[in-house]
Amino acid sequence: MLERLNTESLPRLPADVEKPVYDRSRLTPGIVHLGLGAFHRAHQAVMTDLAIEASGDLSWGILGVSLRSPATRDALTPQDGLYTLALRDDGPDGQAREQLRVVGSVLRVMVAGEDPNAVLERIAYPQTRIVSLTVTEKGYSHEPATGHLRWDDPDILHDLENPHRPRSTIGILVYGLALRRERGLPPVTLMSCDNLRGNGDLLRSLVLAFALRVDVALTGWIDTHCTFPNSMVDRMVPGTDDHDRDRIAQRLGVQDAWPVVGEPYLNWVIEDKFAAGRPAWETQGGATFVRSAAPYERLKLRMVNGPHSTFAYLGALLGHQTIGVSVRTPALHAFVEAMMRLEIAPTLRGIPDGGLEEYGRRFLARIANPALPHPTPQVARDGSQKIPQQLLETIRARLRTGDDIQRLSLAVAAWLHYLRGEDEQGKRYAIEDPLAARLAKLLSRAEVAARACAPAQSAHRRAMVLAGFKPVFGDLGRADDFVTALSTHLENLRQHGVMYAVQAAT
């Protein structure tokens, strides 16, 4: 039985494993991070580790917060917050290679569900200068189509009545900021790193909306003093499994209960507007600071996230367990490549065609990486939160200029067809989505409406009902061209399957 990774084991790690060279005993927390999952630990936490090392500024340690699950806390606490980041790709010889770094920036992990007041106190800690988030799209309690806070969300309703025991991300932030203001502490930066269009602007609008219900004066203080930079993060981080743990333990010579596995590629773009300073994240090829992150996030959402989801839904319907299998399926590869080149790229003005082509080729190579299999269900989950920004915004842009949307609308149809919970071999799978119950009712309502029509109109009627679901589609259900295309693709998927639908759309 191997000993556990911890502070005492650091000097005994193999020489080819990177590790912190600064004095962690002198590290103090300057960042509170909500959502301490693999995605955060593969980008912001490791870049903070590198920034501390490069600058010598020991005031930027991270206090991690898991909103509900104690799993990360239970894994990292015995390890003094240490964990391993394993970056994997194929070497020149075609064999998988792996670079390991033990990350030291995380000082402590808390669980908000166990003691929410303790999290509020940490946000109101005098040394806290940044509160950052990777809580996934569904963690914002908002309606994806409009960006408005969902006042009927059970957690939001709970938090309005329970200011000392908030459950939602927005409630935790607002009540933590209220404590800072009451105690006369300086403002902080609230930084979203989630895959959302205008993530900082969205977070600001949700925080201010909630704060307005709590205290008008607090709303003014937040609006005047706190900053909400937009950011874009691009690094693929599949889930860690037991095989990863065993392989990494063999390399380390100690047991790491929760390492993180990711790709070497990292692109992190942040608007440089911080209320109380920031780590030197730009060191060692890390973050890029810009005046506006909008062009970068639009590029990523449309040319990375949209195609990624398309591979996931089409692949899941074919029974593919990993994204790599879908990418290496010639018909799917050709379809998504054409969708990127012919329908997505023309909506990204200001970027040279050659640059977009290279960007697209690099994306396809990244997700085909055999050293880093990405489970299809992981990419396919929470589609109701992703589809509006990853695909529907591009469709709207195409419709405004009267351009073709055949491939993009098939991608949306694939998501809707995926929601039936069964692949083409008849194998059932679970639908993981915060709107799963409402979407199941939507599918049933669409089928009832289709059966009530004459056969010639049933497919179009089904598409009209589905596209009329405003939390996802907004007003797009009134766009005849979209509904007509959606109708055709849904019928092709129902009657003939993925391969026929893909061929018919090209």
Side-chain angles (χ1 to χ4, degrees), residues 430-501:
I431 300 299
E432 297 184 54
D433 195 291
L435 301 184
R438 297 176 69 184
L439 290 167
K441 291 179 181 178
L442 174 69
L443 293 180
S444 298
R445 192 163 67 248
E447 291 308 309
V448 170
R451 287 195 296 270
C453 293
Q457 284 82 47
S458 63
H460 193 267
R461 181 60 181 166
R462 180 184 296 108
M464 284 185 64
V465 173
L466 295 173
F469 187 60
K470 288 190 175 181
V472 172
F473 293 99
D475 60 357
L476 200 54
R478 295 199 295 267
D480 292 338
D481 289 349
F482 173 64
V483 174
T484 298
L486 193 66
S487 169
T488 300
H489 297 317
L490 284 169
E491 197 65 9
N492 284 340
L493 289 168
R494 287 167 58 87
Q495 299 297 329
H496 307 291
V498 167
M499 290 304 186
Y500 179 92

Side-chain angles (χ1 to χ4, degrees), residues 58-117:
L58 297 172
S59 66
W60 290 111
I62 298 173
L63 251 168
V65 179
S66 293
L67 294 180
R68 289 180 173 82
S69 172
T72 303
R73 187 270 315 275
D74 294 347
L76 297 190
T77 297
Q79 299 180 183
D80 303 323
L82 296 168
Y83 68 91
T84 311
L85 173 63
L87 302 181
R88 291 178 60 81
D89 64 354
D90 266 8
D93 58 358
Q95 298 298 309
R97 59 184 177 182
E98 184 171 64
Q99 176 187 351
L100 301 185
R101 179 180 180 88
V102 173
V103 178
S105 57
V106 178
L107 288 171
R108 181 184 171 192
V109 184
M110 308 170 68
V111 181
E114 294 178 357
D115 191 353
N117 193 60

Side-chain angles (χ1 to χ4, degrees), residues 354-408:
L356 284 174
E357 289 177 11
E358 174 57 28
Y359 190 89
R361 282 195 297 270
R362 181 168 55 188
F363 160 72
L364 292 170
R366 289 167 59 201
I367 61 173
N369 180 1
L372 198 70
H374 209 152
T376 304
Q378 181 184 353
V379 182
R381 69 168 65 117
D382 300 338
S384 68
Q385 312 298 297
K386 299 173 179 177
I387 292 295
Q389 58 203 345
Q390 294 181 4
L391 294 168
L392 301 186
E393 283 297 310
T394 316
I395 288 174
R396 286 189 175 91
R398 298 283 290 176
L399 289 174
R400 284 194 292 269
T401 53
D403 292 316
D404 185 29
I405 57 168
Q406 286 302 309
R407 296 171 182 84
L408 287 162

Side-chain angles (χ1 to χ4, degrees), residues 311-321 325-326 329 331-332 376 417-418 422-427 429 493 496-500 502:
F311 276 121
Y313 296 123
L314 292 172
L317 293 171
L318 290 171
H320 296 168
Q321 295 303 304
V325 175
S326 296
T329 301
L332 298 191
T376 304
H417 197 59
Y418 166 85
E422 182 177 289
D423 67 21
E424 293 186 357
Q425 288 74 46
K427 183 178 180 180
Y429 49 79
L493 289 168
H496 307 291
V498 167
M499 290 304 186
Y500 179 92
V502 164

